[in-house]
């Protein structure tokens, strides 16, 4: 039986969290390095080992039963299905603050820790809780980028909030670091100076009661409205769609923004929707926009199935965004369609639409 401290489901994302506490060695590191290494491994390596064992057990099965405790006869709490999760995030939370080590724990050879595990003190976690309050989409996006940074040997930061500072500045900051390294030969490390000062200034201002504007990533008009709506409303697959949109490069976001404007203008004239299909790593994201639309989306979904048929992807998230006359979002529906669906396999109209799209693309 594998033990775990905390599991959190947010839409189709799973957080595996281990929490460790213990008295950090009072000796100075240069006086008793053995004691320091032992303490770090007790706090970090053991948590990482438990997380990895739990994840491997889950991924090795189709489903996994979770009980309230390890006692015999304990009530079944939930059944986890590995196929449900689009991503699994792993975090080791410590009650001891050793920030300069925790921020790059996976890069330190003395600590046995798998990559993809974020080590974070409870103090820094409280900062995240405040900064991302009521913004689950943005938090998922940050954790996605923070996890990628654990795999990037070019990134070796001294403070957890340096990661947040780079995220606010560059969004996909690990990719930015890779692009910088390509400009030079034999780069082993990319160092940023003062990458969290604006975060320190913000929280210093809050502490002293001063009005300081919160530093944030800025998105364009329609993308901001979509993310705000998904943050405020519990919509099935909303986290996946929101995370996908703000993970796009700046150029792709500009393309999406321009197409949303075109779709709204098209709807005003023709009273039916157009759509944009964008490919990601494992699925298609299809976006369509309407104004005060109250009919069903069956015809549009047929076209979406046809696009899926022509693609190499197994599934798509069809995001149907309804605006009011003032271009404020009144509703978002997200439909997850797959090549295993009955309609995809059995509706002859899907093949007809696919042929039509195929011929249109060839012209």
């Amino acid at each position: 039986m594998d033990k775990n401290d905390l599991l959190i489901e947010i839409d189709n994302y799973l957080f595996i969290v281990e929490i460790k506490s213990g008295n950090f060695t009072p000796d100075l590191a240069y006086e008793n390095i053995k004691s320091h290494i032992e303490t770090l491994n007790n706090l970090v390596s053991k948590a990482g080992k438990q997380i990895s064992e739990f994840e491997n057990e889950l991924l090795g099965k189709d489903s996994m039963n979770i009980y309230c405790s390890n006692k015999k006869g304990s009530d079944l709490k939930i059944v986890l299905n590995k196929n449900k999760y689009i991503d699994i995030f792993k975090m080791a939370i410590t009650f001891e603050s050793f920030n300069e080590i925790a921020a790059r724990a996976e890069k330190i050879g003395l600590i046995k820790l798998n990559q993809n595990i974020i080590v974070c003190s409870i103090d820094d976690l409280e900062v995240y809780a405040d900064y991302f309050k009521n913004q689950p989409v943005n938090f998922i996006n940050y954790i996605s980028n923070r996890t990628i940074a654990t795999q990037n040997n070019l990134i070796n930061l001294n403070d957890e909030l340096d990661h947040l500072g780079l995220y606010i500045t560059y969004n996909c900051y690990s990719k930015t670091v890779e692009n910088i390294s390509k400009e030079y030969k034999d780069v082993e490390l990319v160092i940023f100076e003062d990458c969290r000062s604006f975060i320190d200034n913000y929280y210093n201002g809050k502490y002293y009661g001063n009005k300081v504007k919160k530093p944030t990533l800025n998105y364009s008009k329609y993308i901001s409205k979509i993310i705000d709506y998904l943050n405020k409303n519990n919509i099935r697959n909303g986290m996946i769609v929101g995370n996908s949109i703000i993970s796009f490069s700046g150029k792709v976001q500009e393309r999406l923004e321009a197409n949303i404007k075109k779709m709204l203008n098209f709807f005003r004239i023709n009273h039916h929707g157009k759509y944009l299909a964008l490919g990601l790593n494992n699925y298609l994201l299809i976006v369509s926009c309407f104004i005060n639309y109250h009919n069903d989306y069956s015809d549009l979904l047929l076209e979406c199935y046809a696009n899926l048929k022509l693609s190499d992807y197994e599934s798509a998230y069809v995001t149907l965004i309804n605006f009011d006359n003032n271009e404020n979002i009144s509703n978002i529906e997200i439909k997850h369609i797959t090549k295993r669906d009955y309609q995809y396999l059995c509706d002859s109209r899907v093949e007809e639409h696919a042929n039509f799209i195929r011929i249109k693309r060839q012209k």
Side-chain angles (χ1 to χ4, degrees):
M1 179 178 286
D2 288 301
K3 295 181 181 179
N4 174 256
D5 288 332
L6 180 64
L7 294 172
I8 303 171
E9 277 191 350
I10 303 178
D11 210 344
N12 285 28
Y13 295 95
L14 178 68
F15 283 77
I16 302 175
V17 183
E18 280 295 330
I19 305 160
K20 293 295 179 185
S21 64
N23 293 323
F24 200 78
T25 178
D27 301 329
L28 296 175
Y30 71 87
E31 292 178 345
N32 194 343
I33 186 64
K34 182 179 178 182
S35 176
H36 267 257
I37 294 171
E38 184 179 350
T39 301
L40 289 171
N41 276 304
N42 284 336
L43 288 171
V44 177
S45 299
K46 285 185 178 179
K49 185 173 182 289
Q50 286 179 263
I51 290 170
S52 296
E53 288 176 350
F54 187 93
E55 182 187 33
N56 291 337
E57 183 74 13
L58 172 60
L59 297 179
K61 300 178 177 180
D62 289 331
S63 62
M64 185 176 182
N65 294 340
I66 303 297
Y67 297 89
C68 295
S69 74
N70 61 350
K71 296 178 181 178
K72 288 185 177 180
S74 175
D75 292 336
L76 178 66
K77 195 165 189 177
I78 193 172
V79 177
L80 302 182
N81 186 330
K82 70 175 182 181
N83 295 321
K84 174 182 178 181
Y85 304 113
I86 198 165
D87 213 340
I88 297 175
F89 301 121
K90 291 150 283 188
M91 299 185 73
I93 307 300
T94 75
F95 278 82
E96 311 294 334
S97 184
F98 45 98
N99 198 3
E100 70 283 356
I101 295 173
R104 53 193 173 98
E106 74 285 348
K107 310 290 194 322
I108 299 175
L110 297 173
I111 299 176
K112 298 175 182 177
L113 185 71
N114 291 340
Q115 288 184 328
N116 298 333
I117 298 177
I118 299 171
V119 179
C120 184
S121 73
I122 191 68
D123 295 334
D124 290 325
L125 189 63
E126 288 179 350
V127 173
Y128 288 150
D130 177 77
Y131 182 84
F132 291 105
K133 185 177 181 180
N134 299 323
Q135 292 183 301
V137 172
N138 305 77
F139 179 67
I140 289 289
N141 187 250
Y142 172 68
I143 291 297
S144 298
N145 282 280
R146 178 66 178 87
T147 299
I148 293 171
T150 67
Q151 308 166 42
N152 193 331
N153 291 326
L154 296 168
I155 298 174
N156 199 338
L157 303 174
N158 292 319
D159 191 284
E160 181 62 32
L161 296 186
D162 286 343
H163 285 278
L164 181 59
L166 288 180
Y167 170 75
I168 295 170
T169 304
Y170 300 105
N171 192 1
C172 301
Y173 63 98
S174 187
K175 186 68 176 176
T176 300
V177 167
E178 289 179 2
N179 291 336
I180 291 172
S181 70
K182 291 176 182 177
E183 297 179 16
Y184 307 92
K185 292 182 179 180
D186 303 322
V187 174
E188 295 182 357
L189 192 65
V190 177
I191 298 173
F192 293 85
E193 292 186 3
D194 202 24
C195 50
R196 70 172 189 278
S197 60
F198 51 89
I199 299 172
D200 293 338
N201 292 337
Y202 171 67
Y203 279 105
N204 284 336
K206 285 191 70 173
Y207 180 81
Y208 288 107
N210 300 326
K211 289 185 178 180
V212 182
K213 185 178 179 181
K214 179 179 175 180
T216 60
L217 276 162
N218 295 316
Y219 304 110
S220 51
K221 174 183 172 182
Y222 295 114
I223 289 177
S224 291
K225 289 184 177 185
I226 293 169
I227 301 306
D228 287 345
Y229 190 91
L230 293 176
N231 275 329
K232 294 174 183 177
N233 297 274
N234 185 20
I235 299 172
R236 177 71 170 164
N237 298 317
M239 298 298 105
I240 296 170
V241 169
N243 183 33
S244 299
I245 289 173
I246 57 179
S247 293
F248 286 137
S249 67
K251 289 184 178 179
V252 177
Q253 286 192 26
E254 289 174 7
R255 179 186 170 196
L256 176 59
E257 181 79 7
N259 272 273
I260 290 174
K261 185 175 182 179
K262 288 179 182 177
M263 284 188 274
L264 292 175
N265 289 335
F266 181 86
F267 188 89
R268 287 189 183 95
I269 298 169
N270 300 281
H271 303 291
H272 67 86
K274 296 184 73 174
Y275 60 88
L276 174 68
L278 299 165
L280 290 102
N281 291 335
N282 301 311
Y283 52 86
L284 273 177
L285 176 65
I286 301 176
V287 178
S288 187
C289 299
F290 313 85
I291 299 174
N292 294 328
Y293 188 72
H294 302 293
N295 299 332
D296 64 48
Y297 302 103
S298 55
D299 289 340
L300 178 64
L301 284 174
L302 280 174
E303 292 191 43
C304 293
Y305 274 113
N307 261 277
L308 186 59
K309 192 175 189 69
L310 295 173
S311 76
D312 295 326
Y313 299 96
E314 291 297 316
S315 69
Y317 291 91
V318 182
T319 306
L320 307 163
I321 308 172
N322 210 356
F323 289 81
D324 63 19
N325 290 326
N326 296 318
E327 292 193 351
N328 294 314
I329 296 176
S330 58
N331 187 47
I332 295 179
E333 288 186 46
I334 301 172
K335 299 183 183 293
H336 184 214
I337 63 174
T338 77
K339 289 183 176 178
R340 300 183 300 275
D341 294 348
Y342 177 85
Q343 186 172 13
Y344 176 88
L345 295 171
C346 301
D347 195 328
S348 61
R349 292 176 296 171
V350 172
E351 183 61 34
E352 292 173 7
H353 277 286
N355 287 332
F356 176 77
I357 295 172
R358 192 181 291 111
I359 293 170
K360 190 175 180 182
R361 288 177 180 175
Q362 291 173 350
K363 290 182 178 180

